[in-house]
Amino acid sequence: MSGTTESALASVYKRSFISDILNCKRPGFMPLIGYARVSTEDQTPLPQSEALQSAGCAEIFEEHASGGNRARPVLARVLERVQGGDTLVVVRIDRLARSLSHLLEVIERLEAKGAFFRSLQDPIDTASPQGKFTLQVLGAAAEFERALIRERTKAGLASAHSKGRVGGNPGLRAKDPEALRKVRLARQDGYMERLNETAQDWVPHVRRLRPDMAWEDVLRIINGPLPPDRHWTQSRLLRAVKAYVRDGFLPDEVLGRAGRRETDDRLPAIVAAIKGADPEITLQAICDRLEAMRERTPRGRTSWQPSSVRMLLERAERLGLL
């Protein structure tokens, strides 16, 4: 993290850290879900797992992946698994995210589900006032850094303009082919970087469901757990998938034409897809997901019951979808 962020964290330690923050009490029983990550196969997540187990985590997910890669399949599964009232626990925040923006993004997803985040070795516990204060300081530090960058950029442009220098790339002004090619590549790299930040939301679903399921249904399953401001459109999703196929991150088959599915097989396929993403998901949670997707019951109702979901899961098993 940057020097500004480190200074903010140091200030928080002085003002809000208390000796027993790792053992702060929560109201009622709140399931703890642990996440341990190491960067290479040569490393072992065992020390992290032992610390998470000692902290009371009932479930612990381990992953071998780079911290700079946001499209981590195990992390995506953990975020899909977390439900309201759960707490995601890590040993240190760098085990979850290597950038402040990614950390705040994950915590925002947890808060949208009514879940919490806790780091054992950092003063961050969003179920406690001290942890919320730390998170607010982190967010303020990030905004402060962005403001400084904007001010420096404006000052630099104003100085250059006063000295008669024209901004921009000379090669672009002259429409030089090599300069134009570099700009296209830079834009493409920037687009791929933005896609990588959201890949955990859609890549696992696309890899698992396409081309067996139509894009319309895949899109609704992807958008189901996401807040409205992060919903995908079909055209945007298709563009992202094509970019990942082009760069070899997804197989060509995902762009294949979906086969026609019988009308009475569609709902079992959707329920099977939700269950396949999280085998431990409850019937009621599936009901909530279907209602969020605005999927109607077999009888055309908008309110789902666990018995209806159970019936569809049984039919999905008979159809070989599970």
Side-chain angles (χ1 to χ4, degrees):
M1 292 188 179
S2 68
T4 304
T5 304
E6 290 178 355
S7 299
L9 279 173
S11 174
V12 171
Y13 264 97
K14 293 178 180 178
R15 295 165 57 185
S16 66
F17 185 73
I18 52 177
S19 61
D20 61 344
I21 194 168
L22 300 183
N23 299 313
C24 62
K25 296 182 179 179
R26 295 171 167 77
F29 174 73
M30 303 176 69
L32 304 181
I33 299 175
Y35 175 74
R37 181 191 64 79
V38 291
S39 299
T40 66
E41 294 292 339
D42 296 334
Q43 297 173 314
T44 174
L46 182 59
Q48 295 179 51
S49 298
E50 291 176 344
L52 293 170
Q53 187 175 8
S54 299
C57 293
E59 295 181 77
I60 298 174
F61 295 81
E62 298 179 349
E63 183 161 40
H64 290 79
S66 169
N69 178 18
R70 298 193 180 190
R72 291 175 242 156
V74 176
L75 178 58
R77 191 162 68 248
V78 171
L79 295 178
E80 186 76 15
R81 160 71 180 83
V82 169
Q83 301 177 12
D86 292 347
T87 300
L88 177 62
V89 184
V90 296
V91 175
R92 298 189 310 275
I93 56 176
D94 66 342
R95 298 300 87 197
L96 177 67
R98 285 290 183 86
S99 67
L100 180 57
S101 63
H102 188 205
L103 174 64
L104 296 176
E105 176 187 325
V106 170
I107 294 178
E108 181 182 346
R109 290 189 62 181
L110 294 173
E111 289 182 340
K113 287 188 168 187
F116 304 95
F117 172 72
R118 176 184 173 191
S119 175
L120 298 181
Q121 297 183 12
D122 303 289
I124 300 180
D125 185 340
T126 59
S128 71
Q130 291 81 12
K132 289 181 179 178
F133 174 72
T134 304
L135 189 60
Q136 291 171 354
V137 171
L138 287 174
E143 180 60 32
F144 179 65
E145 287 180 325
R146 288 191 292 268
L148 285 179
I149 292 173
R150 288 194 296 268
E151 289 301 321
R152 289 168 184 164
T153 301
K154 290 179 182 178
L157 291 174
S159 175
H161 183 72
S162 65
K163 296 177 182 178
R165 292 200 296 266
V166 179
N169 189 318
L172 292 181
R173 292 200 300 271
K175 296 184 178 181
D176 178 65
E178 181 62 20
L180 293 173
R181 186 184 70 85
K182 289 181 179 179
V183 169
R184 283 196 302 270
L185 290 176
R187 287 177 178 172
Q188 180 177 326
D189 289 344
Y191 175 64
M192 294 301 295
E193 184 176 347
R194 292 192 300 273
L195 282 186
N196 291 339
E197 294 176 355
T198 61
Q200 60 191 10
D201 294 338
W202 55 276
V203 170
H205 294 295
V206 171
R207 190 186 301 275
R208 184 169 48 87
L209 301 177
R210 287 291 304 166
D212 297 327
M213 184 174 287
W215 283 112
E216 293 85 353
D217 292 330
V218 174
L219 182 68
R220 295 169 75 177
I221 290 173
I222 290 173
N223 286 337
L226 299 178
D229 60 338
R230 291 176 55 192
H231 279 190
W232 291 75
T233 63
Q234 185 167 326
S235 59
R236 181 168 161 246
L237 177 62
L238 281 171
R239 182 189 175 198
V241 171
K242 289 177 181 177
Y244 262 46
V245 169
R246 182 193 62 228
D247 286 0
F249 297 128
L250 284 171
D252 294 341
E253 291 76 15
V254 300
L255 292 173
R257 188 180 184 87
R260 175 170 292 182
R261 186 177 293 279
E262 296 295 332
T263 303
D264 60 350
D265 288 355
R266 180 177 170 276
L267 281 176
I270 291 176
V271 173
I274 297 174
K275 181 73 172 178
D278 181 6
E280 303 300 323
I281 192 170
T282 63
L283 295 177
Q284 185 57 54
I286 296 178
C287 291
D288 296 340
R289 183 71 57 79
L290 291 169
E291 291 176 4
M293 293 167 58
R294 297 183 180 179
E295 193 68 51
R296 292 187 175 270
T297 69
R299 295 186 178 183
R301 298 173 181 170
T302 57
S303 179
W304 282 82
Q305 299 297 324
S307 58
S308 299
V309 172
R310 184 184 297 108
M311 177 190 68
L312 291 174
L313 286 173
E314 291 172 353
R315 188 188 303 174
E317 286 189 36
R318 291 195 297 272
L319 294 171
L321 300 175
L322 285 174

